[in-house]
Amino acid sequence: MTLAAQPASPAAQPSSPDPVLDQSIAPDLPVADEPAVLAAGHVDLGPRYVDDEWTLLIHDDAAQPVWRDPDRTVLRVTDAALRDVPDDPVYGFLGVPAGTQVHVVPQVQHPDVVWVGWNTQDPRVMETIDRGVTLELAGVDGPGEVVMYLQDGTFSEPQVLWRSAEPPGQPMWVEVNTHTHANWVFTTPGVYLVAVRVSADLVGGERVSATRHLRFAVGDATSPDDALAARPDEVAPAPPPAGPDGAGPADDAAGGAGPWLVVGLVVVAVGLAGALVAVVLRGRAVRRRVEQERAGS
């Protein structure tokens, strides 16, 4: 059993690819200036460059395609998204009892619910990133919990991607030229500010990262104006990239052996080797002199 409702199936991926997922994004789409409340239709969050700065925007494809600033956009999840949590232990990760009503932004499009996914399809992004990006849940400010998961078909196990009950992070790798949707579950109505971090290694060797807040107004009684006016808490900066063994950076003062220490060890090793060679040569010279003196006497 899923969090599905007829005729739509908001918690199940259809057996055949959804043609809506087959999309391309024009390189010259503008970034809208005006505030917007999106209560239905297709939207994706995705990386993009604005004035040559790496950032995360909302691609609004509900009418005329346009990019939107998350700080000026409210994703309104109306009561059309209400679903009962099934009496099935497989949904225990939601953290609420069976039969509880929760708001679900579905993996498969529902005509009366905003359809939130993500993409890595901006042309400049595809040209500059090395293989893909990492999306992380950097924090959630709201009255309840937020869970995002995938489910392939009605009888498959859910694949949990993000849970606000767990520590921030929970990295998710997204290949270049990807367009995906998942189930977003909100356990309590109200205003949610969901901090999302997008990071990538560029083909030129640079690493970029940006964190933005998605503004959700969940429930018919929740004011989109309150969501637009909400001020997010400060989010911790992105952690430095891990080293090849999965540990922190080599120059981490918390315990890593930085590159200067490595250089110092190399210098000391070279010095010791040179001293050893000098001692050996000096010993050979002394031995030859002693042998010559013995031969002369």
Side-chain angles (χ1 to χ4, degrees), residues 28-75:
D28 55 351
L29 286 184
V31 179
D33 293 328
E34 70 279 1
V37 177
L38 308 178
H42 176 211
V43 300
D44 297 323
L45 60 145
R48 193 176 189 270
Y49 292 92
V50 176
D51 296 330
D52 291 330
E53 291 292 330
W54 174 266
T55 189
L56 186 68
L57 297 181
I58 294 174
H59 178 246
D60 177 9
D61 197 29
Q64 185 71 23
V66 68
W67 289 99
R68 296 191 182 276
D69 185 340
D71 289 336
R72 301 172 65 80
T73 305
V74 175
L75 303 172

Side-chain angles (χ1 to χ4, degrees), residues 203-215:
V203 292
E206 181 185 1
R207 183 169 180 82
V208 291
S209 182
T211 304
R212 304 298 303 273
H213 287 82
L214 303 179
R215 298 168 179 269

Side-chain angles (χ1 to χ4, degrees), residues 264-276:
L265 292 175
V266 172
V267 171
V268 171
V270 171
L272 290 175
L276 179 60

Side-chain angles (χ1 to χ4, degrees), residues 23 31 52 58 79 84 117 121 124 156 176 181-182 184 201 215 219 221 223 234-235 259 267 292:
Q23 71 173 5
V31 179
D52 291 330
I58 294 174
D79 287 348
D84 293 336
Q121 295 179 307
R124 185 177 174 190
S156 65
V176 67
H181 285 256
W184 301 68
D201 293 319
R215 298 168 179 269
S223 168
E234 185 175 350
V235 176
V267 171
Q292 291 173 353

Side-chain angles (χ1 to χ4, degrees), residues 20-252:
V20 177
L21 298 178
D22 185 13
Q23 71 173 5
S24 61
I25 297 177
D28 55 351
L29 286 184
V31 179
D33 293 328
E34 70 279 1
V37 177
L38 308 178
H42 176 211
V43 300
D44 297 323
L45 60 145
R48 193 176 189 270
Y49 292 92
V50 176
D51 296 330
D52 291 330
E53 291 292 330
W54 174 266
T55 189
L56 186 68
L57 297 181
I58 294 174
H59 178 246
D60 177 9
D61 197 29
Q64 185 71 23
V66 68
W67 289 99
R68 296 191 182 276
D69 185 340
D71 289 336
R72 301 172 65 80
T73 305
V74 175
L75 303 172
R76 189 178 188 198
V77 184
T78 67
D79 287 348
L82 281 171
R83 299 289 180 268
D84 293 336
V85 174
D87 187 9
D88 187 335
V90 75
Y91 291 99
F93 64 87
L94 295 176
V96 292
T100 303
Q101 282 204 320
V102 294
H103 287 82
V104 181
V105 173
Q107 179 173 329
V108 176
Q109 188 169 18
H110 185 296
D112 300 322
V113 180
V114 64
W115 194 33
V116 184
W118 58 89
N119 75 65
T120 52
Q121 295 179 307
D122 176 79
R124 185 177 174 190
V125 167
M126 290 195 294
E127 291 174 358
T128 57
I129 61 175
D130 183 13
R131 297 180 296 120
V133 307
T134 298
L135 288 177
E136 297 177 84
L137 181 65
V140 173
D141 181 10
E145 301 297 337
V146 179
V147 181
M148 185 172 71
Y149 72 98
L150 290 167
Q151 191 168 16
D152 185 14
T154 303
F155 300 105
S156 65
E157 292 285 326
Q159 177 189 354
V160 180
L161 302 176
W162 289 344
R163 290 183 71 237
S164 62
E166 297 180 7
Q170 306 169 53
M172 177 176 63
W173 172 255
V174 184
E175 294 280 352
V176 67
N177 197 22
T178 292
H179 178 209
T180 307
H181 285 256
N183 303 286
W184 301 68
V185 179
F186 301 85
T187 62
T188 306
V191 171
Y192 290 80
L193 300 181
V194 179
V196 179
R197 178 180 295 118
V198 57
S199 307
D201 293 319
L202 304 185
V203 292
E206 181 185 1
R207 183 169 180 82
V208 291
S209 182
T211 304
R212 304 298 303 273
H213 287 82
L214 303 179
R215 298 168 179 269
F216 289 90
V218 178
D220 286 355
T222 302
S223 168
D225 292 337
D226 291 344
L228 197 60
R231 292 292 175 263
D233 295 333
E234 185 175 350
V235 176
D245 59 353
D251 58 348
D252 188 354

